[in-house]
Amino acid sequence: MQNLNEKIVVVIGGTSGIGLAVVKAASQLGAKVYAAGRSQTNIDKAKAVCDDTVSFRLADTHDDASLLALFKEAGEIDYLVSAATGADRTIAPFVEQTAEQFSAAFQKFWGYTNVVRNGEAFVKSNGSITLVSGTPARKYKSGMSSLSCTGGAVEAFIKALAVEIAPKRINGVSPGLIDTAMWDVMGEEKQQKLADMTVHIPMARAGKPEEVAQGVIFAMTNSYTTGTIVDVEGGTLLS
Ligand SMILES: NC(=O)c1ccc[n+]([C@@H]2O[C@H](COP(=O)([O-])OP(=O)(O)OC[C@H]3O[C@@H](n4cnc5c(N)ncnc54)[C@H](OP(=O)(O)O)[C@@H]3O)[C@@H](O)[C@H]2O)c1
């Protein structure tokens, strides 16, 4: 892994799970890191596990003013990452969902477009943007159509923008099932349920946020990688 000394890294959704793992990895590699999320509670929890060189800020992918304030403060950004969830998802057959339920999942996509619209001008010409997608973009399961369509939109957006914003780069990282706070709604059965949901994939376990962060560090720093989706999914797409 390379040295990120003197690099400026901004991670939206950097207060939990995959984003927080990117924040820790980039910080350990020497970068000046700005990490953002919507809630002070998550910021306080994240602060407790990061060194004090990380700057935590409140920002919401659906609030342009908060994004712009963050980007202005960060200045010339080397690597901009968004790992924000920011959407209500309904897991159910398409025809059983209301239009509102189905379209709610797209709030993640609209949030990402807001990050890029507000942030691109701040990214250095040799810098990059990395967005976090997910296996449903290319792995189709009953009840998951809203996630597949949202993920497909995120991946198409990445490829379309790679052509437009060159020489700046933009890539995606697509995680499989990763053990993060996103699954805390499962309560005490979380670990058993994650194990059950991954028993059939080649790696036969849920992934760790740190494993996805390695993919993000690669996508954001490799100077000849753009419009690419890095899959970190334990073989999910094969299963
Ligand atoms: N975990 C998985 O199995 C998995 C699988 C495939 C794809 N993904 C994708 O990976 C990304 C990261 O997920 P995760 O598992 O790391 O989730 P997580 O642990 O819940 O972390 C989500 C982060 O995003 C922030 N966030 C949510 N909405 C936001 C918004 N509108 N504006 C700014 N920040 C926002 C959260 O903080 P606040 O809530 O305080 O804002 C938090 O820092 C998401 O895009 C998710 O869809 C995850």
Side-chain angles (χ1 to χ4, degrees):
M1 287 264 190
Q2 65 274 58
N3 189 317
L4 295 184
N5 278 344
E6 298 181 15
K7 300 292 186 192
I8 305 282
V9 178
V10 177
V11 185
I12 315 288
T15 60
S16 175
I18 293 166
L20 177 57
V22 174
V23 167
K24 286 193 215 162
S27 170
Q28 281 160 11
L29 291 168
K32 168 64 193 162
V33 184
Y34 293 83
R38 297 164 302 178
S39 84
Q40 190 62 44
T41 309
N42 278 344
I43 287 180
D44 292 342
K45 280 192 223 162
K47 261 186 186 168
V49 294
C50 288
D51 72 49
D52 53 16
T53 63
V54 178
S55 298
F56 287 94
R57 299 289 181 266
L58 287 167
D60 186 334
T61 60
H62 301 294
D63 175 0
D64 287 340
S66 69
L67 292 173
L68 208 49
L70 171 66
F71 299 145
K72 279 185 178 161
E73 183 186 354
E76 291 198 323
I77 299 168
D78 292 281
Y79 305 123
L80 171 58
V81 177
S82 185
T85 41
D88 289 330
R89 300 113 37 93
T90 299
I91 311 288
F94 173 74
V95 293
E96 293 175 15
Q97 294 185 48
T98 64
E100 289 72 24
Q101 284 174 319
F102 186 75
S103 59
F106 279 83
Q107 289 307 316
K108 170 175 163 173
F109 174 65
W110 297 126
Y112 280 4
T113 64
N114 292 336
V115 169
V116 175
R117 187 178 302 103
N118 287 285
E120 189 270 345
F122 294 87
V123 175
K124 287 182 180 173
S125 59
N126 62 350
S128 72
I129 300 170
T130 308
L131 305 178
V132 177
S133 171
T135 45
R138 281 167 285 128
K139 179 77 182 177
Y140 306 103
K141 287 186 183 164
S142 181
M144 305 271 283
S145 60
S146 66
L147 300 189
S148 292
C149 292
T150 305
V154 170
E155 294 192 0
F157 180 65
I158 288 164
K159 290 171 189 292
L161 268 284
V163 176
E164 282 187 12
I165 70 169
K168 298 177 188 180
R169 299 177 297 102
I170 179 167
N171 294 292
V173 173
S174 179
L177 192 73
I178 309 300
D179 184 355
T180 70
M182 201 174 94
W183 300 109
D184 284 355
V185 287
M186 290 172 171
E188 286 179 3
E189 295 171 354
K190 176 179 170 183
Q191 290 309 324
Q192 188 55 51
K193 284 190 172 169
L194 293 183
D196 293 346
M197 288 161 73
T198 50
V199 70
H200 63 289
I201 69 168
M203 288 299 106
R205 63 171 174 83
K208 300 172 190 165
E210 293 75 18
E211 292 171 316
V212 184
Q214 287 180 346
V216 173
I217 298 287
F218 166 78
M220 74 188 205
T221 59
N222 186 283
S223 54
Y224 205 52
T225 298
T226 194
T228 290
I229 311 299
V230 177
D231 291 313
V232 184
E233 37 73 281
T236 299
L237 293 172
L238 304 172
S239 61

